[in-house]
């Protein structure tokens, strides 16, 4: 990992301090919002990802029809047993209606940044069926073995889970509106642009500084 040595030391120190303060305040605000939902941070993230995926299915299905998926998306959404048909444009309408495949345990674990064993425990909390430990979850997700590989567990959100996401969305909108009311209106765009640059940079460097990524991958069946 290389770093830019042209950054002024005083600016670097100020930025480090601000990032730390933002992290603490973000953790605190997330805790306050999630306390009302009765779920932890990772459970909320899991539901949000699954709901986003549910809403994107029609568009993804059309991209599959037009063979526009990236190589990574093919691995996520098209079962191995249908990849040859996808590559040659030979998927039937019945097969297309079954796609995209639901997200796997490994895919969700990678999106959140946890091991599959941790993802399994999150699933036990949210599931609509009894877990291996005998307890019943909150009925917000459904887990089932993949039809083409029963070692792979596919996950989809239930209507109860979607309703929880809508509740969280309303709470987040109220929180964000209150937050923006404390920033001058003529600075809203500048604040948004700054946050977008920060998000993009963070997303780019995380794979470079996460030494446990490969270990988490080995924890997954697929």
């Amino acid at each position: 990992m290389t770093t830019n040595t042209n950054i002024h030391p005083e600016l670097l120190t100020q930025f480090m301090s601000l990032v730390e303060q933002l992290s603490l305040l973000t953790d605190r605000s997330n805790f306050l919002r999630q306390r009302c939902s009765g779920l932890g941070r990772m459970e909320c993230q899991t539901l949000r990802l699954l709901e986003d995926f549910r809403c994107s299915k029609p568009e993804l299905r059309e991209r599959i029809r037009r063979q526009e998926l990236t190589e990574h998306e093919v691995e996520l959404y098209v079962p191995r047993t249908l990849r040859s048909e996808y590559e040659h444009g030979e998927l039937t309408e019945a097969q297309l209606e079954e796609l995209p495949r639901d997200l796997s345990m490994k895919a969700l674990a990678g999106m959140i940044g946890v091991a599959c064993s941790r993802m399994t425990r999150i699933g036990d909390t949210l599931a609509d069926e009894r877990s291996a430990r005998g307890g019943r979850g909150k009925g917000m997700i459904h887990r089932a073995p993949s039809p083409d590989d029963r070692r792979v567990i596919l996950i989809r959100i239930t209507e109860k889970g979607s309703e929880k996401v809508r509740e969280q969305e309303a709470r987040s909108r109220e929180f964000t509106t209150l937050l923006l009311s404390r920033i001058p209106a003529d600075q809203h765009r500048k604040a948004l642009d700054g946050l977008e640059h920060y998000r993009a940079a963070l997303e780019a460097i995380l794979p470079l500084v996460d030494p446990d990524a490969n270990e988490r991958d080995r924890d997954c069946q697929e």
Side-chain angles (χ1 to χ4, degrees):
M1 182 176 65
T2 60
T3 57
N4 186 349
T5 57
N6 294 324
I7 300 173
H8 193 282
E10 183 178 346
L11 180 62
L12 179 60
T13 300
Q14 292 175 355
F15 199 85
M16 288 171 58
S17 176
L18 182 58
V19 168
E20 181 64 25
Q21 293 173 53
L22 284 172
S23 296
L24 291 172
L25 288 170
T26 300
D27 287 345
R28 184 178 176 187
S29 63
N30 285 340
F31 172 76
L32 291 173
R33 285 182 290 173
Q34 291 158 9
R35 184 174 62 183
C36 300
S37 72
L39 298 173
R41 176 175 61 86
M42 291 183 183
E43 284 78 15
C44 290
Q45 287 180 332
T46 298
L47 290 179
R48 176 77 265 177
L49 288 169
L50 288 171
E51 178 65 5
D52 288 347
F53 175 72
R54 184 187 71 81
C55 294
S56 73
K57 274 190 170 185
E59 179 184 353
L60 276 170
R61 186 174 296 120
E62 285 305 307
R63 290 181 58 213
I64 292 171
R65 187 189 305 273
R66 298 192 298 265
Q67 296 174 269
E68 294 177 351
L69 298 187
T70 66
E71 184 176 340
H72 177 63
E73 288 173 329
V74 170
E75 292 178 0
L76 284 178
Y77 307 135
V78 181
R80 289 189 180 91
T81 53
L82 294 180
R83 287 177 191 170
S84 177
E85 286 88 342
Y86 167 79
E87 291 168 0
H88 292 90
E90 298 173 351
L91 289 170
T92 66
E93 285 300 316
Q95 290 171 329
L96 280 167
E97 284 302 310
E98 296 298 320
L99 299 176
R101 185 180 72 171
D102 288 328
L103 291 174
S104 69
M105 184 80 71
K106 179 180 180 180
L108 273 173
M111 291 174 182
I112 297 176
V114 297
C116 277
S117 54
R118 178 71 178 97
M119 193 69 240
T120 297
R121 293 193 293 273
I122 294 171
D124 289 346
T125 299
L126 298 174
D128 62 353
E129 79 280 0
R130 290 192 177 277
S131 70
R133 296 192 293 272
R136 186 173 293 278
K138 296 180 180 292
M140 297 182 186
I141 66 170
H142 178 72
R143 299 179 295 189
S146 169
D148 58 307
D149 187 346
R150 294 188 63 83
R151 298 172 301 172
V152 178
I153 302 300
L154 303 181
I155 306 176
R156 69 173 182 267
I157 195 167
T158 64
E159 179 53 37
K160 185 176 180 181
S162 293
E163 177 60 31
K164 177 61 69 174
V165 172
R166 289 191 287 269
E167 291 176 8
Q168 293 171 345
E169 181 70 20
R171 188 176 299 114
S172 179
R173 184 174 296 274
E174 181 180 355
F175 177 88
T176 305
T177 300
L178 181 61
L179 179 65
L180 284 172
S181 71
R182 300 302 180 98
I183 300 174
D186 62 355
Q187 297 295 311
H188 285 179
R189 174 53 59 182
K190 185 180 291 186
L192 184 62
D193 289 344
L195 285 173
E196 175 57 27
H197 286 307
Y198 179 74
R199 181 208 60 79
L202 191 59
E203 186 175 60
I205 69 166
L206 281 178
L208 305 177
V209 296
D210 186 2
D212 298 324
N214 291 335
E215 191 63 35
R216 285 196 299 271
D217 284 346
R218 283 194 290 269
D219 189 41
C220 299
Q221 287 286 354
E222 185 210 342

